Amino acid sequence: MEEHYYVSVDIGSSSVKAIVGEKFHNGINVIGTGQTYTNGIKNGLIDDFDLAKQAIKDTLKKASIASSVDIKEVFLKLPIISTEVFDETNKIEFHQDTEINGTHIEEVLEGIHEKNTEPETEVIDTFPIRFVVDDNNEVSDPKELVARHSLQVDAGVIAINQSILINMIKCVEACGVDVLDVYSDALNYRSVLTATERELGACVIDIGEDLTQIAFYERGELVDADVVFMAGRHITEDIAQFLNTTYDTAEKIKQQYGHAFYDSASDQDVFTVNQLDAEEPAQFTQKELSDVIEARVEDILIKVFDVLQELGLTKVNGGFVVTGGSANLLGVKELLLDMVNEKVRIHTPSQMGVRKPEFSSAISTISSSIAFDELLDYVTISNHDNEEIEEEIIENDSKRQEQKSGGFESFFKKKPKKQQSQDTANSEFVDDDTSEEVYEDIDGHEHGEPKQEESKFKKIMKSLFD
């Protein structure tokens, strides 16, 4: 029986994560994972090439051992840094009656890459909003329809700074694997939201180690995305300063006793900590610690609201969905609920083995890969239980609409607290965690067959250097 695997790589600020998965019925079956903590990544980008490379290599080895899959090709997620989201239209002409297939869809989407005129940027993702057959028939999926004259696509486009793209890919491929394709977190977050949330208009807030990423969806499609350079590391630094202890000690205390909502924190939960300039350890309560954490998390959320306002997004009828490593903190949901009128939930992947918010980006990268494969009708999935083949059709019939005007202040139930934490890191910058492939391992053994002769990334790189 033929097997197809997807391997996603998530290069995060605190760790590199990899997931080996397969499409199984309407979801993803996780076969194995790998994770390696590293200091080689900063603000979601390569900071030390050798350290990052070693972490990626170790992570792929762990995932390969855990899954018993030889890994040759991977899908890489890219952060929302120096990223632009916009709309574009492209059309291909036919000179005779033509039954549309995945090759035609790929051709009309790839034509959008050539229309990018922004210097030093590269289009990495295109997602159809609607297809138009023969100028008058709008459809969500044109496969098997007959076109007499043309096929047009109105698509959303995600472009990123070329140097970020090149360096991230170079670091991964230096580990002996090929990057088959890249997917921005802005696109990946689609699978984090429910169909109702995407339709009504929902905001994903991914609070990681160095970055808080924001993506807003409405009418089923990505509207815009941005990033705030403040996240979990800043919370830990505030704790270290408050407790007068080391960063590593502060991180452990945050994970064990941290609470982001002061009103719900316990004044009976007491812990001791060794301080930098004292011989005897000091005692603190969870409530005292929460006062510091709440101030910083509130800062982060207010900056998120500022970004949404700058993007012209004033209504979040579908609510807020919080994910990422820092979403593990107790009280994050309660604090955000205390600040806004909208619905709030914490997203944790449902797949066995990755049921932590920090794996959201990695598992969503696989979801994006499967969606693209299904749209182009690249692969046929054979499930392990030998049931009949099931093929899903990507539903993409949602239409984008302009944002309604309104007061952004309506987000707040009450005015933000005056208390502000000290920005010890001061890390603001101008520029800016649901197919299958074939893999060969770090040892070079083949497993399966590649579904594409040449990856989209290979084509992009050729265009950059030709």
Side-chain angles (χ1 to χ4, degrees):
M1 178 167 44
E2 188 179 15
E3 295 176 334
H4 301 271
Y5 299 108
Y6 290 83
V7 181
S8 67
V9 176
D10 175 5
I11 302 176
S13 296
S14 64
S15 69
V16 177
K17 294 171 281 290
I19 295 177
V20 181
E22 61 182 349
K23 185 183 185 305
F24 190 74
H25 298 301
N26 294 328
I28 297 171
N29 180 37
V30 173
I31 303 171
T33 65
Q35 184 174 15
T36 304
Y37 290 90
T38 179
N39 294 320
I41 313 298
K42 185 176 181 181
N43 294 310
L45 303 176
I46 306 298
D47 183 58
D48 185 309
F49 190 91
D50 289 336
L51 287 178
K53 172 185 170 182
Q54 189 59 51
I56 296 168
K57 185 177 292 187
D58 291 346
T59 301
L60 290 173
K61 184 176 181 180
K62 293 173 183 176
S64 180
I65 293 172
S67 62
S68 298
V69 171
D70 295 337
I71 300 175
K72 178 182 177 181
E73 297 167 331
V74 302
F75 293 94
L76 175 64
K77 82 99 187 188
L78 294 178
I80 308 173
I81 301 175
S82 298
T83 293
E84 297 293 333
V85 180
F86 55 93
D87 293 341
E88 186 59 85
T89 297
N90 190 45
K91 179 190 289 188
I92 58 175
E93 303 287 344
F94 300 116
H95 302 293
Q96 60 184 8
D97 289 359
T98 303
E99 181 176 310
I100 299 170
N101 58 34
T103 302
H104 300 120
I105 296 174
E106 182 177 24
E107 180 183 350
V108 74
L109 286 172
E110 283 192 346
I112 291 177
H113 290 257
E114 301 172 3
K115 293 190 172 187
N116 179 37
T117 58
E118 291 296 319
E120 303 298 321
T121 66
E122 188 64 39
V123 172
I124 54 172
D125 294 314
T126 56
F127 50 95
I129 299 171
R130 67 186 66 83
F131 292 96
V132 183
V133 178
D134 291 337
D135 297 325
N136 57 17
N137 182 18
E138 289 190 5
V139 298
S140 59
D141 188 339
K143 287 195 296 292
E144 298 188 26
L145 296 179
V146 174
R148 309 203 67 184
H149 307 295
S150 65
L151 173 65
Q152 174 182 311
V153 64
D154 298 332
V157 181
I158 301 174
I160 196 170
N161 180 276
Q162 285 179 350
S163 65
I164 293 176
L165 174 65
I166 292 169
N167 289 319
M168 296 283 277
I169 297 294
K170 179 184 177 183
C171 194
V172 174
E173 295 202 330
C175 299
V177 296
D178 291 329
V179 174
L180 188 60
D181 215 338
V182 294
Y183 291 97
S184 170
D185 268 334
L187 180 64
N188 292 336
Y189 291 142
R190 185 181 193 278
S191 63
V192 168
L193 302 174
T194 66
T196 300
E197 289 167 341
R198 291 194 299 267
E199 182 66 24
L200 293 177
C203 177
V204 177
I205 304 174
D206 184 343
I207 310 175
E209 180 75 2
D210 290 340
L211 305 174
T212 295
Q213 300 190 132
I214 309 140
F216 184 81
Y217 275 77
E218 190 172 44
R219 292 296 182 92
E221 300 300 338
L222 174 67
V223 175
D224 217 333
D226 211 331
V227 64
V228 170
F229 288 87
M230 185 187 294
R233 187 183 304 277
H234 302 83
I235 299 171
T236 304
E237 288 172 345
D238 288 348
I239 294 172
Q241 184 179 36
F242 171 70
L243 299 179
N244 187 25
T245 191
T246 64
Y247 181 92
D248 290 342
T249 299
E251 179 67 25
K252 293 176 182 177
I253 290 174
K254 180 179 76 171
Q255 294 177 11
Q256 187 171 358
Y257 299 99
H259 204 296
F261 192 47
Y262 181 83
D263 292 351
S264 297
S266 170
D267 55 8
Q268 304 298 317
D269 199 352
V270 180
F271 61 91
T272 61
V273 57
N274 294 320
Q275 296 187 304
L276 293 175
D277 57 359
E279 295 183 359
E280 297 295 327
Q283 285 192 337
F284 297 90
T285 66
Q286 184 187 60
K287 205 167 192 70
E288 290 173 320
L289 179 64
S290 176
D291 198 26
V292 176
I293 295 175
E294 183 188 70
R296 175 60 76 175
V297 176
E298 193 172 71
D299 285 350
I300 293 170
L301 296 174
I302 290 173
K303 286 186 177 295
V304 169
F305 298 153
D306 290 342
V307 167
L308 291 175
Q309 190 171 28
E310 290 171 3
L311 296 176
L313 305 173
T314 58
K315 299 291 183 182
V316 186
N317 297 323
F320 294 88
V321 178
V322 184
T323 193
S326 295
N328 283 314
L329 262 176
L330 294 174
V332 171
K333 177 180 178 180
E334 290 82 355
L335 176 59
L336 185 51
L337 279 170
D338 196 50
M339 298 174 69
V340 302
N341 295 299
E342 288 76 16
K343 180 184 70 173
V344 175
R345 71 175 177 88
I346 304 295
H347 175 79
T348 300
S350 59
Q351 291 81 4
M352 185 74 71
V354 293
R355 292 177 179 173
K356 296 179 181 179
E358 56 262 39
F359 282 98
S360 291
S361 283
I363 196 71
S364 295
T365 300
I366 295 180
S367 294
S368 296
S369 307
I370 291 174
F372 189 73
D373 280 356
E374 291 179 331
L375 176 65
L376 302 187
D377 203 18
Y378 272 145
V379 295
T380 301
I381 308 304
S382 297
N383 292 322
H384 289 293
D385 57 4
N386 287 321
E387 291 186 5
E388 292 185 359
I389 293 166
E390 298 184 8
E391 294 184 345
E392 296 176 339
I393 303 299
I394 299 303
E395 296 186 8
N396 226 336
D397 55 350
S398 303
K399 298 183 179 180
R400 182 172 309 192
Q401 72 171 15
E402 295 182 358
Q403 300 304 301
K404 299 179 181 179
S405 60
F408 188 84
E409 292 77 9
S410 63
F411 278 156
F412 291 98
K413 288 183 178 178
K414 59 184 179 62
K415 293 182 179 179
K417 296 180 177 62
K418 292 183 179 180
Q419 177 186 9
Q420 300 293 326
S421 61
Q422 296 182 359
D423 192 353
T424 57
N426 192 24
S427 297
E428 292 293 334
F429 292 86
V430 177
D431 270 335
D432 315 21
D433 49 45
T434 332
S435 14
E436 281 43 272
E437 289 312 329
V438 282
Y439 300 110
E440 164 189 280
D441 172 347
I442 305 174
D443 296 336
H445 303 114
E446 291 185 352
H447 189 97
E449 299 177 356
K451 68 175 173 56
Q452 291 175 270
E453 294 180 357
E454 185 177 37
S455 70
K456 183 176 74 176
F457 170 70
K458 297 292 186 186
K459 297 175 183 177
I460 291 175
M461 294 301 289
K462 284 183 178 180
S463 69
L464 292 180
F465 293 108
D466 283 349

